[in-house]
Structures are given as structure tokens and as C-alpha cells.
């Protein structure tokens, strides 16, 4: 009799790589799904849902990301201060002018589980508005995503 068992990746067994993604001309939602998949480790054969198997992701040119259709005019980001009547709204264009890194981080955060593991995996995302980044020592591998 042959016994079969599923291998679950332990915390020390996973090899973490650094990945570089250029966001210039990419669509925001399609780019965010690819980034979330790499951060969670779903592109690896040893993916385990309850452990951190993902790679580090460095995103450059975040200020050149695009939306399709009329979403650039109509998309609104909401947040609440916690006080009565404290609902704040910000348009996509305003958010891109002020802090383009936060737009990509927020899109990816929405695709993650709202748990401590999700926050730990999201910490491996590094987003920069320009084409320069301080992670050259990690030798990130540039990949082309279908966004």
C-alpha cells in the first residue's frame, strides 16, 4: 500500500527571490492581480495557504499606471477619520498626483486576506513612483507581467 501525503512548506524551507516590475503603461487592476499572486507565492509549486511562500516585489514607475475606460474620471477612494461626518473622498487623479505609490498598494491590499499573514505578505511589496529604487543590492529579476 502506498501512502500519499501533501507536502506543506515550512517557514524556513521557502526561497525568497526579489522581482522587479515596471508599471509603465500597465492597467492597474491587472497589474495588482499579478503582484498579489507573486507576493502570496501562488506562482510556486510549494504554495501553502497558511504560510508565507511569496517573493519580494519591487514596482517602479507607479506614476505611469493607467485605468481603462472612464474610470480615471469616476474612480473615488474613500476613507473615514473615525469622527462623526468624517467620510473623506479622493479622486483617482488627485491620488495619482499626491501619492501614486499608495494607489498600487491599495489595489493590492484589497486582494489580500485581512489577517496577520496577509499584512506580513503585503510588507514585502515595495512601490516607487519613479524609475529608481534602493534595492539594487538584492539583484531583483525584472519580469514582464501580462497587464
Amino acid at each position: 500500500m502506498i501512502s500519499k501525503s501533501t507536502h506543506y512548506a515550512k517557514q524556513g524551507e521557502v526561497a525568497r527571490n526579489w522581482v522587479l516590475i515596471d508599471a509603465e503603461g500597465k492597467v492597474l487592476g491587472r497589474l495588482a492581480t499579478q503582484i498579489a499572486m507573486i507576493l502570496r507565492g501562488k506562482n510556486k509549486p510549494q504554495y501553502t495557504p497558511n504560510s508565507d511562500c511569496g517573493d519580494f516585489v519591487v514596482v517602479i514607475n507607479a506614476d505611469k499606471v493607467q485605468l481603462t475606460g472612464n474610470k480615471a474620471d469616476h474612480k473615488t477612494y474613500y476613507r473615514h477619520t473615525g469622527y462623526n461626518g468624517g467620510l473623506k473622498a479622493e479622486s483617482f487623479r488627485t491620488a495619482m498626483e499626491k501619492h501614486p505609490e499608495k494607489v498600487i498598494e491599495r489595489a493590492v491590499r484589497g486582494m489580500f486576506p485581512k489577517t496577520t499573514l496577509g499584512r506580513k505578505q503585503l510588507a514585502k511589496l515595495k512601490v516607487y513612483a519613479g524609475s529608481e529604487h534602493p534595492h539594487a543590492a538584492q539583484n531583483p529579476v525584472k519580469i514582464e507581467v501580462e497587464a
Side-chain angles (χ1 to χ4, degrees):
M1 177 172 224
I2 300 173
S3 66
K4 295 182 182 179
S5 66
T6 304
H7 175 72
Y8 291 104
K10 308 289 187 304
Q11 197 63 7
E13 296 175 357
V14 180
R16 297 245 166 66
N17 302 321
W18 283 75
V19 176
L20 178 68
I21 296 176
D22 190 1
E24 184 174 359
K26 301 289 193 283
V27 179
L28 176 64
R30 296 170 193 263
L31 177 68
T33 56
Q34 298 290 321
I35 293 171
M37 186 178 70
I38 295 169
L39 284 172
R40 293 201 65 200
K42 285 191 160 193
N43 58 340
K44 295 184 176 183
Q46 67 267 21
Y47 168 70
T48 306
N50 60 348
S51 68
D52 189 6
C53 302
D55 296 332
F56 288 86
V57 176
V58 178
V59 181
I60 58 173
N61 293 324
D63 54 348
K64 297 183 177 92
V65 75
Q66 299 173 348
L67 293 178
T68 59
N70 292 330
K71 287 191 280 282
D73 300 324
H74 300 294
K75 187 170 183 65
T76 308
Y77 294 106
Y78 294 100
R79 65 185 177 87
H80 201 281
T81 62
Y83 290 96
N84 292 336
L87 185 66
K88 303 290 182 182
E90 183 179 40
S91 69
F92 173 77
R93 293 197 190 279
T94 308
M96 286 298 287
E97 290 170 6
K98 286 184 183 175
H99 40 76
E101 306 91 8
K102 300 279 185 191
V103 172
I104 293 181
E105 288 173 6
R106 187 168 182 166
V108 174
R109 185 189 312 131
M111 299 177 184
F112 269 73
K114 280 64 176 173
T115 60
T116 53
L117 178 62
R119 288 188 292 275
K120 183 178 174 187
Q121 291 170 336
L122 195 61
K124 294 182 301 190
L125 175 63
K126 317 293 183 193
V127 185
Y128 301 98
S131 60
E132 300 296 321
H133 64 88
H135 304 288
Q138 282 76 22
N139 297 323
V141 178
K142 184 171 184 174
I143 63 168
E144 196 62 40
V145 294
E146 300 96 22

